[in-house]
Amino acid sequence: MRVFDPHIHMTSRTTDDYRRMAAAGVRAVVEPAFWLGQPRTNPGSFTDYFDSLLGWEPYRAGLFGVRHHAAIALNPKEANDPRCRPVLDLLPRYLGKDGVVAVGEIGYDSMTREEDDAFARQLALAVEHGLPALVHTPHRDKARGTRRTLDVVAESGIPPGRVLVDHLNELTVGPVRESGCWMGFSLYPETKMSPPRMVEILRRHGLERMLVNSAADWGNSDPLLTVETARAMVAAGFGEDDVDKVMWRNPVEFFGQSGRLDLSGTGQAEPAFQGNSILRGGS
Ligand SMILES: [Zn+2]
């Protein structure tokens, strides 16, 4: 089994996690820039963080044979802090870099006017730089937040096929599927989504444009919940090819749109646009 975790915050995880992930089949990850818990007070604090997502973290992942890519953005929560907003002006410098495969996480936290503005500006940056966008949906008032997210995406002019709307559940998957955007699900030990619920969603809504992630960070989370979901899929009667589609080919296709996905060293280096040639490359 080969697994690509399309949303995980390895900055807050240990080398033991990398070791366990590699042993279980996780061969590639995307780490979106996010809120670090402690409020940041100046833009320099972000640039050091972005540099670490593009330098130190890929190096650390590489020691365990895991390919690491980043999504760069001003996150929704800190978009509300006037001390952090100048980060928006620093983003173009980062969006041109090799390891950056998306703009993210962007979107809504509390759905403020400031978040509206940062979200729209960063979708425009995604269009300008030819990058996909990774969009976080709020944990509170998720249905309304998701509807508003889809409106802003539609207004921005970015093709829906280049947008991943993340942290979905049974209530929010439908409208996102209709919009043509990709659908992300974060598997958490207690809240959000569990492997059995995820399997049921895949059964109901199919495998197209579906992405499963652990969103593991410094909170109660588990970087192996992607692998556990893959096992739950098999136990529920999905075939190995179905599992490979959701856990590997879908994220490769989505982030491959950046033209920057580098899967060398994973044994799975074929680019996504060769379509079926990667279907049977797994072990
Ligand atoms: Zn996240």
Side-chain angles (χ1 to χ4, degrees):
M1 187 200 300
R2 52 182 183 172
V3 173
F4 186 138
D5 192 334
H7 185 152
I8 185 165
H9 301 289
M10 293 309 297
T11 297
S12 47
R13 309 300 303 195
T14 66
T15 49
D16 288 353
D17 291 319
Y18 272 124
R19 192 173 291 115
R20 291 189 306 134
M21 287 160 65
V26 180
R27 298 181 193 180
V29 299
V30 168
E31 175 156 7
F34 81 145
W35 179 56
L36 290 176
Q38 180 70 32
R40 280 171 282 205
T41 58
N42 68 86
S45 180
F46 282 82
T47 57
D48 288 342
Y49 170 59
F50 295 158
D51 288 339
S52 134
L53 293 184
L54 294 170
W56 172 244
E57 210 54 53
Y59 166 74
R60 205 161 74 99
L63 297 176
F64 300 89
V66 176
R67 288 299 308 187
H68 181 287
H69 308 84
I72 296 290
L74 171 62
N75 65 82
K77 193 175 179 84
E78 288 180 301
N80 292 301
D81 189 333
R83 295 172 301 180
C84 302
R85 290 180 62 81
V87 171
L88 289 170
D89 299 322
L90 302 174
L91 291 175
R93 191 206 296 177
Y94 284 93
L95 300 181
K97 290 187 191 274
D98 270 350
V100 179
V101 295
V103 174
E105 352 191 347
I106 53 177
Y108 288 118
D109 178 56
S110 307
M111 290 189 269
T112 62
R113 203 176 280 266
E114 287 77 11
E115 291 171 28
D116 273 331
D117 176 62
F119 187 14
R121 276 179 68 182
Q122 294 185 96
L123 284 172
L125 282 174
V127 171
E128 196 179 310
H129 290 262
L131 288 171
L134 194 165
V135 180
H136 166 102
T137 50
H139 304 302
R140 303 172 297 271
D141 207 355
K142 193 177 276 293
R144 191 166 70 89
T146 304
R147 279 197 307 276
R148 186 149 154 195
T149 295
L150 293 175
D151 288 344
V152 174
V153 165
E155 281 164 25
S156 78
I158 190 171
R162 295 176 77 86
V163 177
L164 163 56
V165 183
D166 215 334
H167 312 312
L168 299 179
N169 60 25
E170 290 85 349
L171 297 176
T172 52
V173 59
V176 178
R177 186 163 184 262
E178 275 167 39
S179 74
C181 293
W182 289 66
M183 295 153 274
F185 298 85
S186 300
L187 279 287
Y188 268 18
E190 282 161 15
T191 54
K192 293 187 186 168
M193 188 57 53
S194 67
R197 281 170 62 194
M198 188 66 232
V199 168
E200 192 50 36
I201 286 175
L202 292 171
R203 226 203 290 259
R204 256 169 219 242
H205 297 277
L207 311 181
E208 290 305 322
R209 291 184 277 123
M210 290 286 195
L211 296 176
V212 172
N213 63 70
S214 70
D217 56 18
W218 24 244
N220 186 17
S221 49
D222 179 353
L224 294 186
L225 278 177
T226 48
V227 176
E228 205 177 299
T229 302
R231 294 203 184 108
M233 283 179 74
V234 173
F238 282 100
E240 269 181 42
D241 190 67
D242 296 332
V243 173
D244 192 62
K245 177 174 173 55
V246 175
M247 296 296 167
W248 186 267
R249 277 144 39 209
N250 279 357
V252 167
E253 186 182 340
F254 180 73
F255 291 108
Q257 298 182 90
S258 67
R260 295 194 186 137
L261 209 54
D262 176 7
L263 299 173
S264 55
T266 62
Q268 318 294 334
E270 305 93 320
F273 52 76
Q274 286 180 4
N276 286 352
S277 71
I278 63 167
L279 294 192
R280 270 157 282 278
S283 55

